Amino acid sequence: MPNPTNAGITIVQGDITEQDVDAVVNAANSSLLGGGGVDGAIHRKGGPAILAECRELRSSRYGKGLPTGEAVATTAGRLPARWVIHTVGPVWAKSEDRSHLLASCYRESLRVARELGARTVAFPAVSTGVYGWPLDDGARIAVAAVREESADGGGFDEVRFVLFDERSYGIFAAEL
């Protein structure tokens, strides 16, 4: 598939656990202890070092779990990346606008990436899986937040969206 780009923002169809970037973003649950989807894949492929650091975070700063919209980093273990930035996306609710929380996931992840000195960052489509966020709206929010945070480069060489399937890729490509 072609790789559209927009001022350092790129998209690829593929597996986020195989991205050779400084930091991959994990669509985590608040427990930080692994789960399904992207979260499970990152923990399985990255190995026990990620879980060990997540447990340490839970026993110190995040005893009640990582709040929705925030982000925190750990090692990437056996992944090609150097770091995993965990962020907890909101569950979509038709009756309540939580788009500010979804945008915060992207902004906070990029803030953490900057603090780490990461120059390349790969994102999944946060909250658009089991959390039920409509993909087209999730893409709109994600692209807008990343554009805002990476204006004039924002300190990044590349911010990449990694979409697992053709439909998601197409929707993000149209938004970009």
Side-chain angles (χ1 to χ4, degrees), residues 79-103:
L79 298 176
R82 185 169 175 191
W83 300 286
V84 174
I85 299 172
H86 307 267
T87 190
V88 180
V91 174
W92 186 77
K94 188 175 186 174
S95 61
E96 181 184 349
D97 181 8
R98 298 177 179 169
S99 57
H100 66 286
L101 291 170
L102 183 55

Side-chain angles (χ1 to χ4, degrees), residues 5 19 27 34 57 65 67 84-85 90 96 107 110 113 129-130 133 135 175:
T5 184
Q19 302 303 303
L57 287 166
V84 174
I85 299 172
E96 181 184 349
R107 285 194 302 269
L110 290 174
V130 296
W133 206 282
L135 188 57
E175 191 59 45

Side-chain angles (χ1 to χ4, degrees), residues 10-92:
T10 61
I11 62 171
V12 299
Q13 184 178 338
D15 180 343
I16 197 155
T17 67
E18 296 176 358
Q19 302 303 303
D20 188 8
V21 292
D22 295 331
V24 295
V25 176
N26 180 18
N29 63 56
S30 64
S31 78
L32 295 175
L33 302 179
V38 168
D39 193 19
I42 285 174
H43 275 271
R44 280 189 303 278
K45 193 159 185 181
I50 297 172
L51 183 58
E53 284 192 24
C54 285
R55 284 190 171 131
E56 188 176 305
L57 287 166
R58 283 299 306 273
S59 68
S60 59
R61 293 182 7 203
Y62 298 105
K64 294 182 180 179
L66 182 65
T68 301
E70 293 190 19
V72 65
T74 65
T75 182
R78 296 188 301 248
L79 298 176
R82 185 169 175 191
W83 300 286
V84 174
I85 299 172
H86 307 267
T87 190
V88 180
V91 174
W92 186 77

